[in-house]
Amino acid sequence: MASELANHFAAIDMGTNSFKMILIRTNPTGKFLSINRHKEKVVLGRGMNQNKPTITLESQQRAITALRKFTHLLNNAQHVVIDPKFVATSAVREAVNKGEFLDKVSEAVNVKVDILSGEEEGRLIYLGVLQFLPVYDKTVLTVDIGGGSTEFVVGKKGVVVFAVSLKLGHVSLTEMFGKCWEVGKMREYIRSVVFQSGLVEKVGEIGFEVVVGSSGTIRAIERAVWMGYAQDLMTGVFSHGEFRRNWKFSRNDLNNVVDNLCESDQKGGDDVRRNEFFKRRSEFILAGAVLLSEIFEILKIDEMEVSEFALGEGVIAETLARCCRDYDVNVNARWRSVVRLATRFNSDKRMKSASQAAAIAKEIFAGLRKYDEVADHPNLCMPSLGAKDLEYLEAASLLHNIGQFIGKKGYHKQSYHIIKNGDYLQGYSVEEVELIALLTRHHRKKFPRSDYSCLHFSVDKVKEKFIILCAIIRISVAVQQCLHLTFQRLETIDCPEGFKLVLSKLNDRTSLSNHVQLAVEDLEAELNLELDQFQQVFKKKLSVVVSLSS
């Protein structure tokens, strides 16, 4: 873990509804950055008999197809991924033919799958939540609704006080009570399972300060509340120049969503609006929402916070805790607030782009810093760059496109206003927030004037660093936006003429041809403005090279 190259991890969650894979870059202290996410709707639990749960042959084939895709992506990942973890949850846990299924998986894709108990799944979900929300010191009730089960965990300071898994999931409930007129029976069944489990008494005895929901179903409900699914008008609007999304919803909000879903089911036919809001989850969202509304009523929950991180991130946190002695589950509160803000306003696609830009920025920063430390460069006037400067750069790169949620026109200005006025970044000083916001504001369009008169920092050294970071983020975002090729790595190399930005493409050496050179010329043409700005700031030329490697 001392090596910067050995910091990429992957977790594959083989759920009852979807198989999900996350790729994460982290460091030994636990700073998370999601590099990529992939999701396949396998519906492993479809057609499972409740009396004798069996994974059907069709479901097994869908599962193996998804796992082959994931392993192919891992084998061709841009970075070496350390010991990817495959975990299976409710459907595999309960299946009478799980041995046969796992044998087929092992034969087809040669991976080892860990079947998690319900309690272990809940513990890992709680660990994942702690990587996203600043609730380490609070007594937290975590609720995660999956396709075949729902996990309840009460934890504090990273320690699980109580955990239980109930056989209540949105896929299994849909299979049992698939029609809108059966919602009453569904509610009765849910209440029966919950009360017989002893959950109510145990949670009542321990108590909780905050409730967190972490599943895809709960995130979909939060998004529906925020976007006004149960109302005629969108609720996420500007207020006094600020765009608010608190990632919370109340019991009343949830009940409005349930009522609207029931009304949609009663109308019959294909509900376009419902499909637009819930997409592939639309088939199971009614059961998930009804289940959650019963949980709210039974446990007397008034409000729920929502975590973007869950089981996958918990699996990686567990891996880090075992292999990194410096790992602390509660570090990097500042960075977590950056990630929360990025995920609040970015779609998965925009989040992926932002993560790529951050990775490129880190590579360029490292190259410049190394050169600054070892080279004799009288013509390169650059203040010493430190770890905090990299933190500001990565934060701005991850947040540069959040304004696109409002619209593409002038989105860099909207990104600035959200960061500056939203009180989202925790642990940063006012000047640090201003610096990060200004980096997003100036990552495109007009470059800050060389006299710094547009900047309001009190120290000239901060202004000088800002201009350097601005040049880096502009190059990073521009490179990310015009990736015509599949790149393996990005590095900066000092040369007599200046710096070379080396972009490598995985390919057979024999395929080197004119079209590759043409792609390089096109790339340099698209980067012309940013390359000129780099030369103005660093007094050295930056050229782009694309090399092929087998």
Side-chain angles (χ1 to χ4, degrees), residues 94-156:
E94 303 298 333
V96 295
N97 62 338
K98 57 177 169 283
E100 170 197 333
F101 169 63
L102 293 181
D103 286 344
K104 288 184 178 179
V105 168
S106 178
E107 182 180 348
V109 292
N110 192 30
V111 297
K112 178 180 179 296
V113 178
D114 292 327
I115 303 177
L116 302 177
S117 68
E119 291 73 19
E120 180 69 359
E121 181 182 352
R123 185 183 70 83
L124 291 171
I125 289 168
Y126 171 56
L127 280 182
V129 167
L130 293 181
Q131 309 308 307
F132 191 78
L133 292 171
V135 293
Y136 181 81
D137 292 319
K138 296 181 179 180
T139 303
V140 184
L141 169 61
T142 300
V143 181
D144 187 282
I145 296 176
S149 65
T150 296
E151 278 62 50
F152 298 85
V153 179
V154 179
K156 185 172 184 178

Side-chain angles (χ1 to χ4, degrees), residues 31 358 361-363 365-366 369 386-395 469:
K31 180 179 172 183
K362 183 180 180 182
E363 292 281 355
F365 181 95
R369 188 179 178 186
K388 277 197 172 182
D389 300 310
L390 176 58
E391 181 183 349
Y392 305 145
L393 179 64
E394 287 190 286
L469 298 180

Side-chain angles (χ1 to χ4, degrees), residues 16 24 76 221 234 252 262 271 284 339 365 382-383 408 427 546:
T16 302
I24 282 180
N76 292 277
I221 291 170
M234 177 177 171
N252 185 60
C262 288
D271 190 323
F284 305 112
V339 174
F365 181 95
M382 187 168 71
K408 287 190 175 182
V546 175

Side-chain angles (χ1 to χ4, degrees), residues 396 399-400 412 415-416 419 436-443 473:
L399 298 172
H400 79 273
H412 56 302
S415 297
Y416 170 83
I419 297 167
I436 293 169
L438 279 171
L439 284 172
T440 66
R441 168 68 177 80
H442 291 286
H443 84 269
I473 192 174

Side-chain angles (χ1 to χ4, degrees), residues 7 35 44 67 73 79 86 132 200 202 204 212 242 246 262 303 305 311 324 405 422 444 489 530 550:
N7 62 356
I35 300 298
L44 199 61
L67 292 174
L73 290 169
H79 302 277
F86 292 74
F132 191 78
V200 180
K202 194 65 179 178
V212 176
E242 300 177 17
N246 293 323
C262 288
E303 184 179 69
E305 293 192 41
L311 177 60
C324 305
F405 182 87
R444 65 192 290 263
R489 71 185 187 278
E530 287 76 19
S550 58

